[in-house]
Amino acid sequence: MVCRLGGRVKMGLCKKTLTIGMATLLFAAPVYAATPMGVTNPDNSLMMDLTKHGKKAKKQKQEAPKVVTPKQEEVKVNQVAPSVIGGTAPVMVENAGAVEQAGPRDERLAPYIGKRITKQLVSGNSVVPTDVILAAVQTKPGMEFTEDGLGEDLAAIYATGWFYDLAPEFTAVPEGVQVTYHVMENPVYEKVNISGSTVVDKTKAEGFFGGLEKGQIANLQEINKCVQKLQEEYRSNGYILARINDVHMGQDGTLNIKVNEGNVEGFKVKGNKKCKDHVITREMRLKVGKPFNAKEARRSMQRIYNLGFFEDVNIKLNPGKEPNAVEVEIAVVEQNTGVFGIGAGYSNADGFIGMVTIGDKNFRGSGDSVSLRWEFGGEDNKNFDFSYSKPWIDKKETRMTLNLYKTTNEYADYDENASEIARYDRNRKGQELTFSRKSGHSEYISNYVTLKNRKDSYMGPAEDYENSDNQY
């Protein structure tokens, strides 16, 4: 009696495109189907659900026996990995760790369970030596045939990375059972093509796959290592949402890598009552339609907080409409931005004097800053200083500041020994207009130009200096 397990397609279809899921690169679970060679019968297929190793898996294990696969290297990308060549039914894969095959035991294996394995054969391999394949399996001729042992052996053969489909066949003989592993080797690798990458240079990205040998059949384990290197390049540069979501090889030997970089779909502001949304979002280093970057997100939070309008700033990522895209939610807690001060005094010389200061560093929620300082009283104490600043007059973050002032203050003169020799009352009256812009090399450096129209006049010696011997 001969029993073959594993759905297969006709050999003439073996040149179809090979699709490689990220998790499949480490482990591709066999799917049992008692069908003749070359016929696919999904109705008789036994689907194996692979779940994370944990409490959930342990509970399932108590409910039904499973074929347990050996632990595999951790995969950093969550993936659903269908194997579409060879008629194998899709296998749902969560990111690696220890994985288990769930499902009831196959009754079709019952006639062979407990029998002694008399011989192990391999068919379908043209490049990978048979000895290499059989060396990977744990059970050997002379050992008892078990379902657990079969699952471990199939997983071990897949783990070599040389095959994309595998179907075991069992032949009952008087001495026990003979096992034949029908394998389908991966296509021959010729070149790599990476699409969807905008932040990693194409030449640099392709360089991560330089270790693959051209003209040799592809090894899924080696491809997976290269993919992880590319993934780590994104992560180390702050692109934590970037995913390698499609890896497949065409008939011409081209390894096609598709990257989803995790773009920003938009911004949402919460908690602001006075400050307008655009005042907050214009400080974001992240851009709509560009990949999300954790480093730029942190810098954006700092910029918003440094405005001085908020007590607290937080950023949250919400799922976007497109796969792997996000909406950036900015939550703020506003604080008082207005300033008002008043002071008064009296002296025999000047009589009653006073001072008033009023301003707002977030004027009407626009992000503009305005302030006025007025001093009055006394014979010549009529000073004022008005300032208005607009931080964004264009998209290049050009700041404009206007100053109007009229002040009288003391001015000291010094000799070459830095000794004070004179002190005057100086009156300054004028206007200033300043434009500044961040340097193209660093946002921490600004270049500015100031236009001044000012008139200085000296009112004579300062008080208590009129008859001083130090004057002049």
Side-chain angles (χ1 to χ4, degrees):
M1 180 176 70
V2 178
C3 177
R4 186 186 309 278
L5 300 183
R8 301 290 295 274
V9 296
K10 294 183 179 180
M11 298 302 291
L13 300 179
C14 294
K15 293 185 179 180
K16 284 187 177 180
T17 300
L18 168 64
T19 300
I20 306 167
M22 275 293 298
T24 305
L25 300 181
L26 293 179
F27 173 72
V31 178
Y32 299 159
T35 57
M37 181 66 174
V39 179
T40 302
N41 187 355
D43 295 334
N44 293 330
S45 298
L46 174 61
M47 298 295 293
M48 291 188 175
D49 181 24
L50 305 184
T51 60
K52 290 183 180 179
H53 181 67
K55 294 182 179 179
K56 181 178 179 182
K58 291 180 180 178
K59 291 180 180 179
Q60 292 177 349
K61 188 173 183 180
Q62 295 174 355
E63 295 172 0
K66 300 172 185 168
V67 180
V68 180
T69 65
K71 291 185 178 180
Q72 304 294 333
E73 181 183 355
E74 181 180 1
V75 179
K76 296 183 179 180
V77 182
N78 297 328
Q79 202 71 28
V80 175
S83 175
V84 299
I85 294 300
T88 304
V91 178
M92 301 301 293
V93 179
E94 294 187 70
N95 64 316
V99 292
E100 298 185 359
Q101 301 177 20
R105 293 185 181 274
D106 192 346
E107 295 180 357
R108 290 163 291 182
L109 293 177
Y112 311 101
I113 298 296
K115 290 189 176 182
R116 191 169 303 280
I117 300 175
T118 61
K119 192 175 184 180
Q120 292 174 317
L121 302 173
V122 179
S123 69
N125 56 315
S126 59
V127 178
V128 182
T130 299
D131 293 343
V132 173
I133 301 173
L134 293 179
V137 301
Q138 301 298 314
T139 56
K140 305 296 180 182
M143 297 176 64
E144 180 181 342
F145 178 81
T146 64
E147 185 174 0
D148 288 346
L150 173 63
E152 293 174 357
D153 290 344
L154 296 180
I157 294 175
Y158 270 113
T160 63
W162 298 113
F163 313 104
Y164 67 85
D165 201 6
L166 170 62
E169 178 184 343
F170 311 98
T171 303
V173 295
E175 297 81 5
V177 59
Q178 177 178 300
V179 182
T180 302
Y181 300 103
H182 297 275
V183 298
M184 298 187 72
E185 295 176 331
N186 297 329
V188 174
Y189 169 77
E190 295 295 342
K191 61 180 181 178
V192 64
N193 176 52
I194 301 176
S195 61
S197 177
T198 63
V199 296
V200 177
D201 180 73
K202 183 178 181 181
T203 302
K204 184 176 183 179
E206 293 177 351
F208 293 117
F209 296 83
L212 302 179
E213 296 185 20
K214 296 182 179 180
Q216 303 294 327
I217 66 171
N219 185 287
L220 304 187
Q221 296 289 355
E222 295 301 319
I223 292 176
N224 186 49
K225 293 178 182 178
C226 297
V227 168
Q228 290 190 43
K229 290 179 182 179
L230 178 58
Q231 184 79 48
E232 183 58 31
E233 176 68 16
Y234 276 99
R235 289 184 178 274
S236 63
N237 287 287
Y239 298 99
I240 60 175
L241 298 184
R243 296 288 184 270
I244 313 298
N245 60 359
D246 185 24
V247 182
H248 67 273
M249 183 169 288
Q251 298 182 22
D252 60 351
T254 300
L255 178 62
N256 296 289
I257 310 293
K258 186 176 180 181
V259 182
N260 186 324
E261 296 179 324
N263 290 343
V264 176
E265 284 190 347
F267 300 113
K268 180 181 180 181
V269 183
K270 293 180 62 178
N272 56 318
K273 298 179 180 179
K274 175 183 176 182
C275 188
K276 295 179 171 59
D277 287 359
H278 75 274
V279 175
I280 299 173
T281 57
R282 70 188 180 187
E283 299 294 332
M284 298 294 292
R285 298 295 87 184
L286 301 171
K287 302 299 180 184
V288 175
K290 299 295 183 180
F292 176 85
N293 186 287
K295 296 179 180 179
E296 291 179 348
R298 284 192 293 269
R299 177 55 188 155
S300 299
M301 288 180 60
Q302 293 173 352
R303 287 174 58 91
I304 296 173
Y305 186 80
N306 290 342
L307 291 173
F309 307 160
F310 311 106
E311 294 180 359
D312 193 21
V313 179
N314 289 288
I315 285 181
K316 176 184 175 183
L317 301 183
N318 297 324
K321 297 179 181 179
E322 297 297 325
N324 206 34
V326 294
E327 177 191 63
V328 179
E329 180 180 301
I330 310 160
V332 298
V333 178
E334 291 185 326
Q335 64 182 6
N336 185 23
T337 57
V339 176
F340 176 77
I342 186 170
Y346 179 83
S347 70
N348 292 329
D350 295 323
F352 178 81
I353 57 175
M355 181 270 294
V356 176
T357 301
I358 186 171
D360 193 344
K361 56 185 176 182
N362 186 19
F363 184 61
R364 299 176 64 87
S366 64
D368 297 354
S369 175
V370 60
S371 66
L372 174 64
R373 186 172 185 272
W374 178 40
E375 296 178 0
F376 55 90
E379 183 178 349
D380 54 2
N381 189 22
K382 295 180 176 60
N383 300 333
F384 74 87
D385 190 337
F386 172 79
S387 176
Y388 180 85
S389 181
K390 190 174 185 65
W392 290 71
I393 63 173
D394 59 15
K395 294 183 179 180
K396 296 183 178 180
E397 200 175 346
T398 303
R399 174 183 289 269
M400 181 198 72
T401 302
L402 173 65
N403 268 40
L404 306 176
Y405 53 86
K406 180 182 179 182
T407 61
T408 301
N409 51 29
E410 291 185 355
Y411 167 78
D413 198 5
Y414 301 86
D415 61 15
E416 62 273 10
N417 297 320
S419 298
E420 184 178 312
I421 60 174
R423 187 178 290 269
Y424 297 92
D425 285 332
R426 182 176 65 177
N427 180 268
R428 304 178 67 182
K429 180 170 59 176
Q431 309 85 38
E432 295 183 6
L433 183 62
T434 302
F435 295 93
S436 63
R437 179 181 293 176
K438 302 292 184 182
S439 171
H441 303 288
S442 173
E443 65 172 313
Y444 301 99
I445 301 175
S446 296
N447 301 316
Y448 68 92
V449 58
T450 301
L451 305 176
K452 293 184 179 181
N453 177 27
R454 189 179 75 190
K455 179 181 179 181
D456 292 356
S457 59
Y458 296 91
M459 311 298 294
E463 186 177 357
D464 297 331
Y465 268 78
E466 291 88 346
N467 301 314
S468 174
D469 291 336
N470 293 330
Q471 192 78 358
Y472 301 104

